[in-house]
Amino acid sequence: MNTRIRRAVKARGHFPNEQAALKCVYMAIMSLDPIGKGQVRWTMRWKTALNAFDITFDGRLSAARQ
C-alpha cells in the first residue's frame, strides 16, 4: 500500500494545498481494491488509517464500501 501511495504522490509532484494531497492519497487507496473482494483482510490491517480517512472525507469511504 505504501508503494502505491508513494507512486501516486511522486507522479503528481507537488500539491497546491493539503486537501489536494489528501485527495491524491484517497484516490490511491480506493484504486487498490475498487470492487471490495479483498476488503475484509485489507480492512483489518488498515482500520486506523481508514477511520482517519473516513473522518477527513465525510463518510465517502464508508459509502464506497456498501
Side-chain angles (χ1 to χ4, degrees):
M1 178 172 212
N2 289 333
T3 304
R4 295 287 293 268
I5 293 171
R6 191 178 311 118
R7 188 183 317 153
V9 170
K10 196 173 193 176
R12 176 70 169 93
H14 71 283
F15 299 96
N17 56 30
E18 186 178 348
Q19 189 70 14
L22 286 173
K23 183 175 181 182
C24 180
V25 172
Y26 168 79
M27 296 302 286
I29 289 172
M30 292 309 294
S31 71
L32 289 175
D33 190 16
I35 57 174
K37 293 291 183 190
Q39 182 175 354
V40 174
R41 178 177 37 94
W42 186 78
T43 304
M44 294 306 292
R45 288 191 226 151
W46 292 97
K47 190 159 187 80
T48 307
L50 287 172
N51 287 337
F53 280 117
D54 201 26
I55 291 168
T56 303
F57 292 106
D58 289 330
R60 284 190 276 169
L61 204 61
S62 60
R65 284 188 238 158
Q66 295 175 357

